[in-house]
Amino acid sequence: MDVLGVLNLGDVAQTFSKIGTFPVFDLAYYIVSILYLKYEPGSVEVARKSPVASWLCAMLYCFASYILADVLLGGCPLDYFQYNSHILLASTIWYLIFFCPLNLFYKCVAFLPVKLVLVALKEVVRARKIAAGVHHAHHAYHNGFLIMVIIGYVKGSGVALISNFEQLLRGVWSPDTNEILNMSFPTKASLYGAILFTLQEAHLLPVSKSTLICLFTLFMATTKVILTARHSHGSPFILIESWVCHLLFGSPLGGGEEEHHASPAPAPVAPVSPVKTKEELGEGTRKRKSKKAE
């Protein structure tokens, strides 16, 4: 019975891995990516004032992983833009989300049940991209395990890693959103997934690639749907990470992240006396006059 279950899982994984991502899964990936762009502060105003800048930001949200991976592997960052069908599809989604009359398209895709389906489909593309990135790096650097992890990580979370550059295109600069310093769940999961796929590519993980893709996709889709439904930005890895960091690096157990991000209470400001203010103003005026005289 166990053998039959393993065979059935292997068959399902093989069939699942052969399913192409275009256009259904890629469509969901573009919709969710550009939907997150619209959530960014100032993105709607930028779309009205400078549609070209908004379109470039949308293309980065959709294709940043390919651009970064090509740059790191010595390729041309514009290579992926030769696929006209993908560019046309992403551009159409961008236009509908930002400029559809009465905001109808945005309201439809932002409706929670629809959004949950789209989020799950997007994670299918993420898992495939991580696996493809590791496989591509393995062909270029057979024993470069670190390079495989980096390329797989970039393929899975490219938009997060390039977010600061994308902010410059929108005229916004938020260095506290650096994804390396404050990793979100998709970024962490992409890193862990890249490590798993690297181990599998090096034949150190006793599982087939199709099975690993299927299991990782199932985990990512389920977790992301639950987090989206609960409007949560947490991570299921936080407990394990807390213990590992405590053992290896001496980090405090629990609450460290919350205390780190908590802003201290503002100190009470003493009222300024009007008389004192006038005296300070008078003193400043006398100093300016003395400087002019000198």
Side-chain angles (χ1 to χ4, degrees):
M1 193 68 180
D2 294 337
V3 176
L4 291 177
V6 172
L7 291 177
N8 290 335
L9 176 60
D11 293 340
V12 171
Q14 282 282 0
T15 305
F16 177 75
S17 63
K18 293 178 181 178
I19 299 176
T21 59
F22 187 83
V24 177
F25 296 105
D26 286 327
L27 176 66
Y29 186 90
Y30 301 152
I31 290 176
V32 176
S33 298
I34 300 175
L35 194 62
Y36 288 155
L37 172 62
K38 190 166 184 177
Y39 293 155
E40 293 294 329
S43 61
V44 177
E45 290 76 7
V46 171
R48 297 291 188 273
K49 295 178 181 178
S50 179
V52 174
S54 177
W55 179 81
L56 287 174
C57 293
M59 296 304 103
L60 285 180
Y61 263 72
C62 294
F63 308 118
S65 57
Y66 299 102
I67 296 172
L68 283 179
D70 287 336
V71 170
L72 292 176
L73 292 175
C76 177
L78 298 179
D79 276 351
Y80 196 81
F81 287 89
Q82 65 181 312
Y83 301 109
N84 298 323
S85 56
H86 291 264
I87 302 301
L88 181 61
L89 181 60
S91 300
T92 303
I93 297 302
W94 163 77
Y95 184 84
L96 290 175
I97 287 181
F98 280 94
F99 302 104
C100 181
L102 302 178
N103 232 5
L104 290 178
F105 187 80
Y106 167 76
K107 293 177 181 177
C108 291
V109 297
F111 182 52
L112 187 58
V114 177
K115 186 179 178 181
L116 294 179
V117 175
L118 295 174
V119 165
L121 296 178
K122 178 184 178 180
E123 297 309 314
V124 176
V125 181
R126 190 194 304 276
R128 300 285 186 88
K129 288 165 70 174
I130 296 173
V134 171
H135 183 71
H136 189 188
H138 175 68
H139 274 276
Y141 304 92
H142 296 289
N143 297 318
F145 299 139
L146 180 59
I147 298 177
M148 297 181 204
V149 172
I150 291 174
I151 299 302
Y153 174 52
V154 166
K155 276 294 191 77
S157 58
V159 62
L161 298 177
I162 208 173
S163 60
N164 290 114
F165 176 74
E166 180 272 332
Q167 289 170 0
L168 294 178
L169 291 178
R170 287 190 288 113
V172 179
W173 175 245
S174 301
D176 57 331
T177 60
N178 190 329
E179 197 68 24
I180 300 296
L181 296 176
N182 303 302
M183 288 189 180
S184 60
F185 163 71
T187 307
K188 291 180 180 179
S190 298
L191 177 59
Y192 301 148
I195 294 174
L196 290 177
F197 282 105
T198 300
L199 293 175
Q200 191 280 328
E201 198 74 40
H203 304 290
L204 298 175
L205 197 64
V207 63
S208 65
K209 179 182 292 187
S210 58
T211 302
L212 183 58
I213 290 176
C214 184
L215 293 177
F216 186 73
T217 302
L218 183 62
F219 165 75
M220 288 294 297
T222 304
T223 307
K224 200 67 171 68
V225 165
I226 293 174
L227 292 177
T228 303
R230 298 175 58 187
H231 302 285
S232 172
H233 298 283
S235 170
F237 306 123
I238 190 167
L239 183 60
I240 300 175
E241 290 172 348
S242 177
W243 279 99
V244 171
C245 290
H246 176 69
L247 293 175
L248 297 181
F249 309 112
S251 303
L253 276 176
E257 186 175 355
E258 295 179 359
E259 293 174 1
H260 176 72
H261 291 289
S263 57
V269 180
V272 181
S273 172
V275 178
K276 184 177 180 181
T277 304
K278 290 180 181 179
E279 292 176 357
E280 290 175 353
L281 290 175
E283 183 179 0
T285 305
R286 288 194 298 271
K287 288 182 178 179
R288 285 194 297 271
K289 287 181 178 180
S290 63
K291 286 182 180 179
K292 288 182 180 180
E294 290 174 359

